[in-house]
Structures are given as C-alpha cells and as structure tokens.
Amino acid sequence: MRRFLDTLYGAAGLLAGLCMIGVLASVLAAIIARQMGWNIPGTDAYAGYFMAAAGFLALATTFKHGEHIRVTLLLNSLAARNGRRLDIFALAAGAVLAAAFAYFSIKLVHDSRLYNDISTANDATPLWIPQIAMAVGTVLFLVSVVDELVRRLRGLPAPSSQQTHE
C-alpha cells in the first residue's frame, strides 16, 4: 500500500510538472501569435487552467515531502508527548478541512457538468473539464493527509523537507 500511495503522489506531482509546461506552452504560443499578428483564442484561459491544475495536483506530493508551510516552533517547544498530540490534532483538523475541500471540488465539477457551464473567455471550454484537475488534486490531498494522520497515530515521524533532500 505504501508503494502504491507514493507512486500515486509522485504521478500527481509529475502531472503538475507537465501542467507547468502547459502554462509555458500556452504563454509562448500567445506571445508568438501576437508578434505574428495572429490570434489564438483561449491561450490565456488555458494558461490559467494549466496553472490551477498544477497547483492542485501538486498538493499531495508537496505535503508528503514536508514542503507545506508548517509552524513547527510551537511543536518543537512542547514536550514530545504533547507535541505529538498537537500534531495529531492538527492532522485530524486538516483531514476534516481537506474532506470538505474535496467534497465541494467534486460537487463543483458535477454541477458545472449538470448545468453545462462554459468559460466566459473566447475559448468556451466546458468548465467541468479543467475543474477535474482540482477535484483530483483535492481528493489526493485528502488521501495524503489521512495517510499522514494514520502514520502519526502509529508513531511514525512527520515528513521533513531536510530528510527528503538528503
């Protein structure tokens, strides 16, 4: 199970990287097209879609590598037992918030498809298509937070950006 989850988080991170390349390609296409006097409809919108997808798809892998901003000053100042309790409480609260975020992201995709919402930009993209990346990213983030909560309840240490870079 550990290998599967780590592969899943890594794949989402890879997709996030590909989306960043999509941002670059969209922006470059728009710049080149403008210089040539052409108009490529939707390049600005697609750059935004790719940027949002990159941010959401990167949530889980960033969290699992200990790269999210955490205020460890308080945790480090507490006794180990109390620090562990506070960490578990923070992860549990984070799991509840991540679950709400995932639920409403999925609901947004569903509602956008149900009501045939389309982009107001000149690309007229059905909005549920780019919103899928947000829903997938938030669900993977929820899985990663619950994964860390379970690990911490088992007594395993928190991820550390220093450990993953060594």
Side-chain angles (χ1 to χ4, degrees):
M1 183 58 110
R2 173 86 272 129
R3 183 178 294 157
F4 170 75
L5 288 175
D6 289 342
T7 301
L8 190 62
Y9 304 144
L14 180 64
L15 283 174
L18 291 174
C19 287
M20 289 302 295
I21 293 171
V23 172
L24 174 67
S26 296
V27 170
L28 282 177
I31 290 170
I32 292 169
R34 284 184 190 127
Q35 293 299 318
M36 303 294 278
W38 304 332
N39 179 31
I40 302 175
T43 52
D44 294 339
Y46 280 97
Y49 301 151
F50 280 126
M51 180 63 79
F56 283 103
L57 291 171
L59 284 172
T61 191
T62 305
F63 178 73
K64 290 302 287 184
H65 283 95
E67 298 293 339
H68 281 213
I69 296 172
R70 289 179 50 118
V71 181
T72 56
L73 184 62
L74 180 60
L75 287 174
N76 292 338
S77 69
L78 296 173
R81 187 175 191 194
N82 290 334
R84 181 175 181 272
R85 286 180 183 166
L86 182 59
D87 197 25
I88 289 170
F89 172 77
L91 284 168
V96 169
L97 291 171
F101 197 18
Y103 171 78
F104 286 109
S105 296
I106 292 167
K107 185 175 179 346
L108 179 65
V109 172
H110 177 264
D111 289 348
S112 290
R113 178 150 174 140
L114 183 67
Y115 299 116
N116 295 317
D117 285 344
I118 60 168
S119 170
T120 57
N122 59 0
D123 63 316
T125 300
L127 287 177
W128 67 268
I129 296 171
Q131 290 169 350
I132 288 173
M134 180 178 72
V136 169
T138 56
V139 168
L140 288 175
F141 181 60
L142 170 61
V143 170
S144 70
V145 172
V146 171
D147 179 20
E148 267 316 299
L149 177 59
V150 169
R151 286 175 44 85
R152 208 72 82 257
L153 288 170
R154 290 183 172 175
L156 298 171
S160 169
S161 59
Q162 291 80 24
Q163 291 173 350
T164 58
H165 293 302
E166 292 178 355

